Amino acid sequence: MGSRLRRSLALGSALAVFCTTTLAVAAPLTAIGAGEGQVDIVAWAGYVERGDTDKAYDWVTGFEKETGCKVNVKIAGTSDEMVALMNEGGFDLVTASGDASLRLIYGKRVQEINTNLVPSWKTVDKRLQDAPWFTVDGKHYGVPYQWGPNVLAYNTEVFKEPPKSWSVVFEPQTLPDGKPNKGRVEAYDGPIYIADAALYLMKHKPELGIKDPYQLNEEQYKAATDLLRGQRQLVVRYWHDAAVQVDDFINEGVVASSTWPFQVNLLKSQNKPIASVIPEEGATGWADTTMLHADAAHPNCAYKWIEHSLNKKAQGDLAAWFGSVPVVPAACEGNELLGAEGCKANGFDNFDKIHFWTTPRQQCTDHPEGCVPYLRWTTDYIAILGGR
C-alpha cells in the first residue's frame, strides 16, 4: 500500500483521536506467561537490527534464542504510516514517535503498560518516565525506546563549513559551490514537518509570536504553510524511506536535507562526504515509545521484548547504530560500539533544546482561541506535496 493511501487512512484516525477523551478501559496484563513464539513490530528503519547490514549490530538474535519469540518487523517511514498500520491491526508493538502516540492512545489502539512487569523500568531516564506524549492520567501507554534530534545533513564538498541556518532548505539561494539550491534539497514527507517551518519562523519572523511549533494559531500556521509552499519549488524529493534518501545523497545530487542521524551514520560508514549539524534555529526531534497494541496477539512475547529493549547493551548498541540517545542513561557507559563520548556526541545534553514531536491539538495552552489541529496539518501538507 502506498504512503499516500496510508496518510489518507490516518486522517480518520487523527480526527477520531481528539473527538473523544474516553480511553480504553481494559486492564493491563498482570503477569507474563510463556511466549507465543513470535512478536510482530512496526518500527522505524534501523530500530530493530539482527546483523543483516553489519554483524556487530544485532540485538534480535540473542533475544530470539533466549525467549523463543521470533521477531518480525514491518518498517514504517512516517508516523502516519505507523498509525495506519496499527489501525489495520495484526501487530503487537510499535516504536511510536510523539506525533503518533497520543493518536494511538485516544484512538484506543494501544493498551496501558504494567510497568511492574518491566523490571528495567526503574533504569529509564527520569526525564522520560512520565513524558506527556505517552502518559495520560498517570497511566503509561508505552515504554521509552530512544530519542534524538532531526538534524541538517549536508555535503561537505559543497559546504566547506557547516551551514548555520535551516535557510539552505527553506529559502532560494546560491550555495557555497556557486550553484543554486533548487533541485538539490529534500524535506520530510510527513505533516509534522510543518513544525520545522514554524521553528524556523520563530527566529526569522519573531513578530509572529510563535512559542511552540506544535501550537499554532491561524496566522502562525498560514505563515508556516506559506513557507513550505515556497520550499516546494526547491525540493527534489520529499523523503520518508531512509534507504532512498541515502541513495539520493549518493546518486541524485542531493546536498542538504533534514534527516535522522541514522542516514548520516550510514553515509559516513560508506565514506561519503556527509556531515550533520543542528543549525542556529534549533531542531525538532523525536522521543520514541514502544507501545503495545490493544489487541496484541502475542502479549507475552511483547512484554519480553519491551524488557529486552531496555537492556543496557541493546540500548547502547542501538544508539551507536542509529545516532540516537539511549533512554537508559547507564547505557552511555562501557559500550564498545557507542564509545565513551557517544551519548554526548548524539546529544544527551541537548534534551532541553529539542522541540520533541507531539500531536498538535485544537485545545492548547498558547492560544485560548484554539490551535490548528493535526487533521488540518495532514490535509494541508498533502496539498503542499501536490503543489497546491
Side-chain angles (χ1 to χ4, degrees):
M1 185 183 296
S3 62
R4 290 293 177 86
L5 180 53
R6 290 201 185 282
R7 281 196 294 270
S8 297
L9 288 172
L11 289 177
S13 171
L15 178 61
V17 168
F18 301 113
C19 288
T20 177
T21 57
T22 303
L23 298 181
V25 295
L29 207 65
T30 58
I32 299 176
E36 301 89 353
Q38 70 183 73
V39 59
D40 301 310
I41 306 174
V42 178
W44 295 109
Y47 258 19
V48 183
E49 292 290 313
R50 59 169 68 251
D52 291 337
T53 305
D54 187 324
K55 292 182 179 180
Y57 295 91
D58 180 0
W59 45 93
V60 172
T61 303
F63 169 80
E64 292 178 333
K65 290 180 179 178
E66 179 182 347
T67 65
C69 301
K70 177 178 173 53
V71 177
N72 302 310
V73 183
K74 171 67 176 179
I75 300 302
T78 68
S79 288
D80 284 353
E81 187 175 1
M82 286 186 168
V83 171
L85 288 168
M86 291 294 279
N87 284 345
E88 293 170 17
F91 299 97
D92 301 300
L93 296 170
V94 61
T95 59
S97 295
D99 60 327
S101 49
L102 286 179
R103 285 187 279 161
L104 292 169
I105 293 169
Y106 284 102
K108 301 182 182 180
R109 290 297 182 261
V110 294
Q111 59 180 276
E112 180 187 354
I113 294 295
N114 183 349
T115 57
N116 292 325
L117 299 182
V118 184
S120 295
W121 171 259
K122 62 182 180 294
T123 69
V124 172
D125 194 325
K126 302 299 182 185
R127 300 175 295 182
L128 292 169
Q129 283 191 353
D130 299 312
W133 49 83
F134 74 94
T135 308
V136 177
D137 296 332
K139 297 179 179 180
H140 298 100
Y141 289 85
V143 173
Y145 193 57
Q146 293 274 293
W147 64 271
N150 295 311
V151 298
L152 173 60
Y154 62 94
N155 186 306
T156 57
E157 294 179 347
V158 173
F159 297 89
K160 302 302 182 183
E161 299 291 334
K164 295 181 178 180
S165 171
W166 286 104
S167 67
V168 298
V169 297
F170 282 125
E171 307 278 1
Q173 60 189 264
T174 299
L175 299 181
D177 63 355
K179 300 177 182 178
N181 61 345
K182 183 176 182 179
R184 306 169 72 198
V185 300
E186 291 189 337
Y188 183 56
D189 179 15
I192 204 65
Y193 188 67
I194 294 174
D196 289 65
L199 180 63
Y200 178 75
L201 293 173
M202 284 173 66
K203 180 176 178 63
H204 295 275
K205 288 193 175 182
E207 65 272 17
L208 289 169
I210 300 174
K211 298 178 180 179
D212 182 332
Y214 306 100
Q215 296 190 35
L216 305 176
N217 64 20
E218 289 291 345
E219 179 187 11
Q220 296 165 344
Y221 181 77
K222 183 179 185 303
T225 51
D226 283 349
L227 177 64
L228 293 173
R229 287 188 175 92
Q231 184 197 44
R232 180 70 182 85
Q233 309 306 311
L234 308 176
V235 170
V236 64
R237 188 197 304 273
Y238 288 90
W239 74 270
H240 64 269
D241 186 310
V244 171
Q245 190 186 41
V246 166
D247 184 71
D248 287 346
F249 269 97
I250 297 172
N251 298 314
E252 301 301 327
V254 171
V255 300
S257 177
S258 63
T259 191
W260 303 324
F262 174 60
Q263 288 94 302
V264 177
N265 284 354
L266 278 178
L267 288 160
K268 285 183 175 180
S269 72
Q270 299 176 41
N271 297 315
K272 302 303 179 183
I274 300 296
S276 65
V277 65
I278 295 179
E280 59 187 8
E281 298 91 355
T284 59
W286 32 270
D288 295 342
T289 306
T290 305
M291 310 184 85
L292 179 62
H293 198 288
D295 301 314
H298 314 106
N300 295 305
C301 279
Y303 263 88
K304 291 175 187 291
W305 174 264
I306 289 173
E307 170 61 21
H308 172 73
S309 75
L310 298 179
N311 174 278
K312 178 180 175 181
K313 178 170 171 49
Q315 278 282 309
D317 289 357
L318 171 54
W321 175 248
F322 200 86
S324 52
V325 182
V327 299
V328 175
C332 293
E333 302 175 1
N335 186 285
E336 181 179 351
L337 297 173
L338 186 59
E341 299 295 319
C343 281
K344 182 178 180 179
N346 291 355
F348 185 88
D349 297 328
N350 293 330
F351 186 89
D352 294 330
K353 300 178 182 178
I354 299 172
H355 296 265
F356 288 103
W357 282 352
T358 189
T359 306
R361 302 188 63 184
Q362 186 169 7
Q363 294 86 12
C364 61
T365 57
D366 283 0
H367 303 288
E369 73 277 16
C371 291
V372 178
Y374 188 73
L375 179 61
R376 284 267 306 281
W377 288 46
T378 302
T379 54
D380 289 343
Y381 199 67
I382 291 175
I384 290 170
L385 267 59
R388 303 189 303 279

